Amino acid sequence: RAVIPALSTSAANAAEAPGDLATESEPVMQWSELLVESARIRVRKRKAVQEEEFTEAAQLKKQEVSVGEQIEALQQQAKEAASAGLPEEERRQLEEAKRKAVEE
C-alpha cells in the first residue's frame, strides 16, 4: 500500500520572504498547507475503510478532527492579518458588509 507522507508546515520558507509579507502571509501559508493535509487524511481514511482497516481509519478520523480545528484557527488568524493592513474606514465598511451578508 502506498504511504503518503505528512505535510510539514514551512514556517522557515515564510520567514525567508522580505519584510512584513512573511508575517502577513504566514497564517495563510499554514492554513493552505493544512487544507492539503486535511485532504490527504481524508483520502487515506477512505482507503483504510475500503481495506477494512478500521483501527487506522479511526486514528485518521481523530487526525482529521484535529487538523480541522487547526484550519479554523488559522483561517481566523489569516482573516485578521488580512484586515489588519486595511485603513480604518475600509475595515469598518468591510465589517458592515459582513454583518449585512449574515443578516440576509
Side-chain angles (χ1 to χ4, degrees):
R1 124 173 84 135
V3 176
I4 300 173
L7 183 64
S8 64
T9 306
S10 59
N13 290 344
E16 292 173 6
D20 290 335
L21 185 59
T23 15
E24 290 177 13
S25 67
E26 188 171 337
V28 175
M29 291 298 296
Q30 290 173 347
W31 177 47
S32 63
E33 289 174 351
L34 283 172
L35 289 173
V36 172
E37 180 65 13
S38 177
R40 287 181 177 180
I41 290 171
R42 282 193 309 274
V43 168
R44 290 173 50 207
K45 184 180 72 172
R46 277 191 224 123
K47 185 172 181 175
V49 169
Q50 287 175 346
E51 294 175 357
E52 297 183 3
E53 295 181 14
F54 300 115
T55 303
E56 182 179 351
Q59 290 172 343
L60 290 166
K61 177 64 178 175
K62 289 178 185 177
Q63 288 178 14
E64 185 178 32
V65 169
S66 175
V67 168
E69 292 169 352
Q70 292 175 44
I71 288 170
E72 288 179 26
L74 283 169
Q75 183 178 17
Q76 184 61 35
Q77 288 178 12
K79 287 178 184 178
E80 290 170 3
S83 67
L86 294 176
E88 185 60 35
E89 180 60 23
E90 279 186 61
R91 190 174 314 136
R92 187 191 61 72
Q93 290 174 354
L94 181 59
E95 290 299 323
E96 182 63 27
K98 287 180 190 177
R99 270 193 293 280
K100 287 180 181 178
V102 169
E103 290 172 0
E104 293 177 352

